[in-house]
Amino acid sequence: MTAGMPLLGFGLPVSGAWATRENLVHVARRAEQLGYSSLWAYQRTLWPADGRLGPSHRSVLDPVVALAVAAGHTERIGLGTATVCAPFTAPALLASSMASLDAVSAGRLTVGVGMGWLPEEHVATGVPMHRRGARFEEYLQCLVALWTEDPVEFEGEFYTVPRSHLSPAPVQQPHPALLVGGSADAALERAGRLAQGWIASSQHVPATLRRSIETVRRGALEAGRDPDALRVLVRVVPELVTADPGVGRRPFHGTAEQILADAATLAADGVTEVLLDLNLSPRVGTMDVGVGEALERAERVIEELAPQ
């Protein structure tokens, strides 16, 4: 990795027709061989029938299942969720499944969580949208307690855990790194105060990224934590082309050299990791793109943008 470059992660094939077992194994192994720092999967449980989420969300593999497959075919590369909607699963269940994934991956897991925003998913999982922030904050506290206290006992407004032992315990101590998604100031401050870092949405606005990171760091400082220890992950959807697009080029749309330069620019803003995620590309992560066509495009990206 060159000086000033953030770590580079790659999105596992989880969305659309290319999300097959064979492709999961192939992409995971190749990313590890090429020196990528991490592999990531995200969660989408429902696709509203009106189609407003777009085709990349039509069919998405469960992230724990996808990461378990990747864990079984790699040895060193990090694994992460970016993100799972935590409140849709009871804290004890998420704590147990993530601890199990940390165990089978020999301590390579990063747990990225969000509080959810899609009304249909809230209805289907029985979680009210009212007071989402307060619920999510208590959820994070309960999750950490489940991972770090033995026996654990937790009693809050939203969640209760009777005095018990969690099985299994996570391999990483005190627990796997916890990253929090969100864009509102309260969410950013929460990431710095309660987690080990922040995950920026693929819809983040570059002009406001530095301010968002400063808010995350301020949350850490006010909680007496070291802001320099925070991780900041930014998901991008690279569009790799052979020739310079010229005037008006969008970030992460260009040649391999231009895209890697864009990643280096993010490092100057305080970004520690960049996730190259083709699942959200209309040329790769939809049911309308053939498996072979999607994989061919993805292989070109994973090869040409490989860490140097």
Side-chain angles (χ1 to χ4, degrees), residues 22-252:
E22 292 76 17
N23 285 350
L24 278 171
V25 173
H26 176 75
V27 168
R29 286 175 171 169
R30 192 65 185 132
E32 183 169 73
Q33 291 167 355
L34 290 169
Y36 283 87
S37 68
S38 51
L39 296 163
W40 299 83
Y42 71 97
Q43 182 183 55
R44 179 91 282 139
T45 304
L46 296 178
W47 191 66
D50 60 17
R52 69 183 182 277
L53 287 189
S56 292
H57 296 272
R58 175 65 182 87
S59 176
V60 182
L61 293 177
D62 180 89
V64 175
V65 173
L67 290 168
V69 172
H73 291 87
T74 55
E75 298 293 335
R76 301 175 305 279
I77 194 167
L79 307 168
T81 58
T83 59
V84 294
C85 298
F88 298 166
T89 305
L93 294 178
L94 187 67
S96 178
S97 66
M98 291 299 172
S100 296
L101 188 51
D102 196 47
V104 300
S105 67
R108 291 186 278 146
L109 181 65
T110 295
V111 181
V113 295
M115 63 181 176
W117 61 270
L118 186 63
E120 286 85 347
E121 289 183 334
H122 278 268
V123 171
T125 55
V127 179
M129 295 192 73
H130 178 62
R131 299 189 65 206
R132 286 188 305 151
R135 180 184 298 273
F136 185 50
E137 182 149 331
E138 186 176 294
Y139 190 106
L140 297 176
Q141 295 167 340
C142 184
L143 188 62
V144 170
L146 283 156
W147 281 335
T148 59
E149 299 176 16
D150 188 27
V152 61
E153 188 172 18
F154 187 92
E155 185 171 353
E157 179 182 358
F158 304 101
Y159 303 105
T160 299
V161 179
R163 187 172 175 83
S164 309
H165 301 280
L166 177 73
S167 179
V171 170
Q172 298 178 79
Q173 294 297 315
H175 58 80
L178 186 62
L179 306 184
V180 172
S183 58
D185 282 353
L188 298 170
E189 181 272 339
R190 185 183 296 122
R193 180 164 49 86
L194 296 178
Q196 283 68 61
W198 174 56
I199 299 176
S201 162
S202 62
Q203 302 299 316
H204 75 276
V205 179
T208 65
L209 184 61
R210 183 185 292 271
R211 176 189 174 279
S212 295
I213 294 173
E214 289 174 352
T215 303
V216 175
R217 291 175 61 87
R218 185 169 63 249
L221 276 172
E222 292 177 353
R225 309 174 74 202
D226 180 8
D228 292 332
L230 294 170
R231 293 168 58 182
V232 177
L233 174 72
V234 172
R235 173 191 269 111
V236 302
V237 184
E239 187 173 349
L240 182 62
V241 295
T242 56
D244 182 351
V247 178
R249 182 185 74 86
R250 304 186 308 275
F252 294 96

